[in-house]
Amino acid sequence: MAVALTMVQMKVAVLRHSMSGQRAGFVAIGAVTGLVLAGATIWLGLSGAEVLAATYAVWMLGWIFGPAFAGGGDETLRPEFFTLLGLPPRRLAAGLLVSAFVGVAPAISLLALVGLTVLGARQGLAAALVSLPALVLQLAVFVLLSRVAVALLGVALRSRVGAVGAGLANGLVLALLGQIWVVFVALGQSGGVPPVVGTVARYLPSGWGVAAVEAAASGDWGRTAAALAAMAVLVVLLLAAWAALLTRRAGSARTAPGGRAPMRATTASGAVLAKELRTWSRDLVRTHQLTFALAYGVFFAGAPLIIGIPVMLPLAGPIFVVMAAALSANLYGTDGTALWLTVMTPGAADVRGRQHAWLLTVAPIAVVLTVALTAVADGSWPAMLALLVALLGGGAGLVPLASVYALIPGTDPHRRGGNPLRSTEEDGAVTGMVYAVLALASLTAVPATVVAVLTGWPGVVLAAVTGWACYWWFGLLAERRLLARGPELLETMRTGRRPAVTVATGRPGKWTRYEALPRRERIIVGVCYSIGALPLFPQGVVPAIIKLNGGDTRAWFLAMYLPPGLQWPTIFFMIALGLAIYATGVIIPFRYKAGESQQNADEPAEVPAT
């Protein structure tokens, strides 16, 4: 107990001192999104046990596979920190487990599990009382499943087969979660949740709490005790498994086995190209990311086949390109302090070499996917080729550009811990960069794709022009930035601390950078950019398209549940609301003007060396 309480105090102290600057904004965004999802889950407690059990299965999958997308999950306290204390593995695991309940994600999940109490309260006092230990045990199961999954993934990333397998599994699950509307439509077509889905969801660990509450409501106390005991036993088994996996964590970097063929490059760009190609083939973290992007693209585009819609299949290649660009956007950050080699070698042509290596790694796979699936689905060749060409050029330009303009300090590859996915301390910043590059890369293909849809093959020509322009111009900007600010970027990589920025004042002026805004405004802007898409697209644009095409699919579209006379007004209101939220996020930076040059209040001031 003393070890657990000490670790809880340590985590609280770390979180208290780290909730500043950009990280606080990302935490606020995640909290707002999580509260919305938790509220929706509690509301589903009124809909019946089948729907609630299926919803908790989705929460469980999020806990298991979410860390693969978010850089390894929350590891504020790592096992490596306590190696020299000589704690037994089970005591260390128990202490880390207790500290894992401190944070935003566990609190939101606990709130979502209140749906068990809502379900039980509708069926009597006894069921409501049983729901209290059930939701605590259910949360412990979620947290431990997440920790064991991260530990297993770390073990898997020690071999090429494991890295590929983990990438395929993560890509499949997250793609299906991203296309959850397909499941809703399929359920709507079948008249609700099929009985088999509710039965399977109850047998999953995420449904044992629902089973306990239902049994208590019917007076079957034997089944109630069995369900609660099963969760308690599972917690003990998962804790033991996690303790065993903690002993296998190591601090050395892992690379895929490969030959030692010498580099025969004769130019600086060729040397960078050869080095990067070897990194893409030998670094198991990059292997995992590339496999994840490929699996996500294929499964995301193939998910609508569940309801008999094949039109998205040709998009597998373009989705793969966008996801690969987003996951590799912090290219220089993941290299660590090796950046000094570039800084100390003028004219090294580093940016162009990295662009060529990225294209040679991603383009062949994307071309094969797009051509094959377009032929299978009988898609539009001009539109698909224009989209692919434009995205390849945009991705090749944005990857180095985002990396040097928004570099996130990372861990040197040879110092990566037992969780290889955790290459940086700033998980929120990395997640924000991924989403930003996803959006920007998609925007680079909009002009050419629109022209291809309207005119046909001229759009492919325009895609070649815009793709080459993005590749050349963005690469040139990145190269100039690297040459001009190389020492500052290296200092950021070495210390993990960004240079001081001026704090903006409340006077109108030109556009103010996000990090120069006051903390409250940063949080507001971040929340606006995060939730603006919810009313605009899922509740506004998509139902408008459904109505224009004469469909009547309800799924989770609010307007489709209203009387016909209120559907279009609701759609217009949701579109206006989404645009207003985005406009708020854009207008706020114009209200602030850079004030006197001073250290950012959110960052600790450095003490000059004596």
Side-chain angles (χ1 to χ4, degrees), residues 391-548:
L391 286 176
L392 285 173
L398 284 171
V399 165
L401 184 68
S403 185
V404 297
Y405 270 88
L407 184 138
I408 301 171
T411 304
D412 284 1
H414 66 282
R415 293 181 177 176
R416 290 176 185 166
N419 181 2
L421 288 179
R422 190 179 179 88
S423 58
T424 177
E425 299 294 332
E426 302 186 36
D427 295 333
V430 171
T431 304
M433 175 181 280
V434 168
Y435 285 117
V437 174
L438 282 174
L440 293 174
S442 301
L443 288 176
T444 61
V446 170
T449 306
V450 171
V451 172
V453 171
L454 297 177
T455 65
W457 291 105
V460 179
V461 178
L462 179 60
V465 174
T466 58
W468 180 87
C470 291
Y471 156 81
W472 180 84
W473 187 48
F474 290 163
L476 180 62
L477 292 178
E479 197 168 35
R480 289 176 177 175
R481 173 81 172 188
L482 190 60
L483 293 176
R485 301 293 297 275
E488 289 85 350
L489 295 176
L490 179 58
E491 180 68 9
T492 300
M493 287 298 313
R494 188 182 67 83
T495 64
R497 183 177 300 171
R498 292 181 176 84
V501 297
T502 56
V503 179
T505 61
R507 293 177 293 170
K510 295 182 179 180
W511 175 272
T512 302
R513 292 168 55 191
Y514 175 80
E515 59 269 22
L517 291 170
R519 182 189 304 180
R520 185 186 66 179
E521 279 65 27
R522 285 200 300 268
I523 294 175
I524 294 174
V525 171
V527 170
C528 288
Y529 283 134
S530 298
I531 68 175
L534 295 178
L536 179 59
F537 294 104
Q539 300 298 334
V541 175
V542 174
I545 295 175
I546 292 175
K547 283 189 66 65
L548 289 174

Side-chain angles (χ1 to χ4, degrees), residues 124 168 289 390:
L168 289 173
Q289 291 176 342

Side-chain angles (χ1 to χ4, degrees), residues 285-376:
V285 175
R286 291 203 191 186
T287 300
H288 172 265
Q289 291 176 342
L290 194 66
T291 307
F292 171 84
L294 177 60
Y296 186 88
V298 172
F299 293 128
F300 190 91
L305 289 174
I306 297 175
I307 56 177
I309 300 177
V311 294
M312 284 192 67
L313 276 178
L315 294 175
I319 293 173
F320 162 65
V321 173
V322 174
M323 187 59 69
L327 294 177
S328 56
N330 195 34
L331 200 59
Y332 284 97
T334 55
D335 280 357
T337 53
L339 181 63
W340 75 271
L341 293 171
T342 301
V343 175
M344 298 299 292
T345 310
D350 191 75
V351 170
R352 295 304 183 192
R354 288 176 184 262
Q355 286 181 296
H356 297 161
W358 188 87
L359 282 173
L360 287 176
T361 304
V362 174
I365 304 174
V367 170
V368 170
L369 269 181
T370 304
V371 171
L373 295 180
T374 301
V376 169

